[in-house]
Amino acid sequence: MSTYNEKLNNLFSRWIERSELNNEPREQNEGNIIFTKDGLLEKNDPAIDVEKEWHNASKRVLFIIKDQPTEWSDDLRLWLKDVENEKPKNRENKEHNRALKSRFMFNLASILYGLTHNAPSLDTVRDSFEQVKHCFNTMPFALVECKKQGGKSSIADGVLHTYIKRYGDLLREEIEILQPNMIVCTNPIIYDFVQNLFVGELTSLEKHNSICINLKRKVLIFCSYHPSAWNVNVYEGVMDHYRAFLKSDYASLF
């Protein structure tokens, strides 16, 4: 049986081929198509078999973000894992990622912790920082970029919409390979795309339009602020709706 990464790497090869046909941007030095690989984030602890843990997990959380703000190829699956002979700067960045030094990483870790620990308050999460960090560095989760081509620090909604339209069938295949049962969409366009993958299968909660429930497949879909957003409560933007689900009659069906 193929592993998750084997299936993803096969998908990425086809995605790169189509990107070449569409004349997507190339790296300046190497000339290769700029492409971000993603999926299950490897842990720095070699004893943790992420693929096995993901397969056996009762809660499989997938974060879908917009694009990586770099103009070179990268593999998000290694954002937390040191590898041999890497540049000191890369190793330093990974140390910061594991320590939740950035707002982006802290928000990802907090949401992951909240979704897997029945939505404690934000104050509780902040008081439990070491537990949140431990969860982030040991529990399997997936991170997927909609736009595999690197970009700048922000991306216009029109560009994101065009890219999803161009490669949406491949993005759908990536989600199907990973088989998450909690999908956190970090943009309304992404939320609309994921909802459209399950047309006719979704149930909503009254007064909570940022969560959809797929009873048939036992999947929850959230619309979240982007993890790097300023001046918003990214954590509560997901947990408010998750708590409503936990209090609903639907929760007993999962």
Side-chain angles (χ1 to χ4, degrees), residues 86-112:
E86 66 182 338
K87 297 177 181 178
K89 183 61 176 177
N90 288 347
R91 190 170 291 267
E92 180 182 336
N93 288 340
K94 292 177 181 184
E95 290 176 357
H96 285 190
N97 290 344
R98 294 192 296 266
L100 311 184
K101 294 286 188 180
S102 70
R103 180 175 62 257
F104 179 90
M105 288 296 176
F106 176 75
N107 282 329
L108 280 185
S110 298
I111 294 172
L112 176 65

Side-chain angles (χ1 to χ4, degrees), residues 88 99 141 239:
F141 69 93
M239 294 306 136

Side-chain angles (χ1 to χ4, degrees), residues 33-201:
I33 287 289
I34 300 170
F35 191 86
T36 298
K37 297 180 180 179
D38 46 31
L40 299 175
L41 269 71
E42 297 289 339
K43 308 302 182 181
N44 205 39
D45 182 349
I48 299 175
D49 185 335
V50 172
E51 294 203 359
K52 180 179 179 181
E53 295 291 333
W54 175 264
H55 181 75
N56 293 330
S58 60
K59 295 181 178 180
R60 297 186 298 277
V61 181
L62 164 64
F63 296 93
I64 309 183
I65 52 182
K66 296 184 288 186
D67 76 332
Q68 184 179 207
T70 60
E71 296 180 356
W72 57 84
S73 299
D74 195 12
D75 194 330
L76 270 61
R77 295 173 293 188
L78 299 177
W79 271 12
L80 304 179
K81 183 178 181 178
D82 296 331
V83 297
E84 288 187 39
N85 302 320
E86 66 182 338
K87 297 177 181 178
K89 183 61 176 177
N90 288 347
R91 190 170 291 267
E92 180 182 336
N93 288 340
K94 292 177 181 184
E95 290 176 357
H96 285 190
N97 290 344
R98 294 192 296 266
L100 311 184
K101 294 286 188 180
S102 70
R103 180 175 62 257
F104 179 90
M105 288 296 176
F106 176 75
N107 282 329
L108 280 185
S110 298
I111 294 172
L112 176 65
Y113 186 84
L115 291 177
T116 54
H117 290 78
N118 293 326
S121 69
L122 180 57
D123 286 341
T124 298
V125 168
R126 286 171 172 162
D127 291 340
S128 306
F129 181 79
E130 290 303 318
Q131 293 95 312
V132 172
K133 186 169 65 173
H134 178 76
C135 173
F136 188 69
N137 287 302
T138 58
M139 181 170 290
F141 69 93
L143 185 64
V144 165
E145 302 273 13
C146 284
K147 181 175 172 288
K148 305 301 187 191
Q149 303 293 322
K152 301 188 182 298
S153 58
S154 62
I155 178 173
D157 283 349
V159 174
L160 178 61
H161 186 272
T162 297
Y163 194 91
I164 290 177
K165 185 176 181 180
R166 185 177 296 169
Y167 299 99
D169 60 319
L170 300 176
L171 182 57
R172 175 177 188 149
E173 186 175 341
E174 183 170 12
I175 295 170
E176 290 174 346
I177 288 171
L178 290 167
Q179 296 184 321
N181 54 23
M182 290 181 161
I183 304 175
V184 181
C185 307
T186 61
N187 176 278
I189 293 173
I190 301 172
Y191 188 51
D192 288 344
F193 170 79
V194 174
Q195 288 182 93
N196 287 332
L197 301 182
F198 305 110
V199 173
E201 297 181 7

